[in-house]
Amino acid sequence: MKNRIKKLRKSLDMTQADFSSKIGLSRNFIAQIETGAKVPSNRTISDICREFNVREEWLRNGEEPMNPDSDIEFADLCFQIGLKDERARAVLEKYLKLNEEDKKLFMNLLERLAKRAEG
């Protein structure tokens, strides 16, 4: 589990301090989890899954997929909306990994850009 927590944190481009503050823990505790010195409690596991949108089965056992929305569903959605631009797809993949607060910030930015483009 320690490697998956570290993988998740790095995939989100977060420091241990950033990651720990999102779930109400100390940076030192996250560091100890990542080195295997500590084992996260069931509550901590639940908090990580909720905050970072990962499946508990993935976090505990490595059972794919990592996120509740599988890659197949994502690929199907991209196909349905005609998304072929790889850069746009990469942005969407990163968006799905954001927490709710950051998703709101991202959407606000997009709305501001769209208004500028309109005139």
Side-chain angles (χ1 to χ4, degrees):
M1 185 179 329
K2 67 181 185 177
N3 294 330
R4 285 184 293 280
I5 290 174
K6 188 173 187 175
K7 176 183 176 179
L8 171 63
R9 178 179 63 77
K10 288 187 177 241
S11 76
L12 296 168
D13 197 28
M14 298 180 87
T15 64
Q16 288 177 339
D18 295 335
F19 189 88
S20 63
S21 71
K22 293 285 186 184
I23 54 174
L25 297 172
S26 72
R27 186 213 57 82
N28 186 50
F29 189 72
I30 294 300
Q32 290 177 327
I33 289 173
E34 288 183 1
T35 62
K38 298 274 184 183
V39 176
S41 67
N42 288 333
R43 179 179 176 188
T44 297
I45 292 169
S46 178
D47 290 346
I48 290 170
C49 292
R50 182 189 69 253
E51 183 65 31
F52 301 110
N53 192 34
V54 296
R55 294 177 58 248
E56 188 170 330
E57 296 84 359
W58 175 82
L59 191 59
R60 288 185 185 273
N61 316 329
E63 180 184 310
E64 294 290 342
M66 179 171 117
N67 300 100
D69 301 319
S70 73
D71 289 340
I72 293 169
E73 290 170 356
F74 182 73
D76 186 50
L77 176 63
C78 289
F79 178 76
Q80 287 176 29
I81 63 173
L83 184 61
K84 295 177 183 151
D85 182 331
E86 286 302 314
R87 289 175 52 203
R89 182 182 169 119
V91 168
L92 282 177
E93 287 173 343
K94 289 178 182 173
Y95 171 81
L96 292 173
K97 295 178 183 177
L98 295 174
N99 62 41
E100 290 305 312
E101 180 182 344
D102 291 339
K103 283 180 180 178
K104 287 178 187 175
L105 289 171
F106 182 79
M107 293 307 292
N108 287 338
L109 174 64
L110 286 179
E111 288 170 1
R112 288 178 59 200
L113 290 171
K115 285 179 184 177
R116 275 193 188 171
E118 291 172 357

